Amino acid sequence: MKKYVCDPCGYVYDPEVGDPDGGIEPGTAFEDIPDDWVCPLCGMGKDVFSPVEE
């Protein structure tokens, strides 16, 4: 599964870790996160995230 980075603040969503504080279980692909989820650091929406090129 791909990691995604929040362009404004640099937070990286890692699907292996998820976002437990935000209710996202480990193993959740970015595409499967609810549309109302926001970046835990800056509060921006999913639309400002870009795939991390590995």
Side-chain angles (χ1 to χ4, degrees):
M1 286 186 281
K2 253 188 187 313
K3 295 179 183 178
Y4 281 74
V5 62
C6 180
D7 293 327
C9 78
Y11 169 80
V12 176
Y13 175 77
D14 182 345
E16 291 183 13
V17 177
D19 176 23
D21 293 339
I24 307 301
E25 294 293 322
T28 303
F30 187 79
E31 296 81 6
D32 296 333
I33 296 173
D35 289 337
D36 61 353
W37 178 82
V38 296
C39 175
L41 294 185
C42 71
M44 297 294 287
K46 282 179 67 177
D47 58 329
V48 300
F49 280 73
S50 300
V52 173
E53 298 303 322
E54 307 228 0

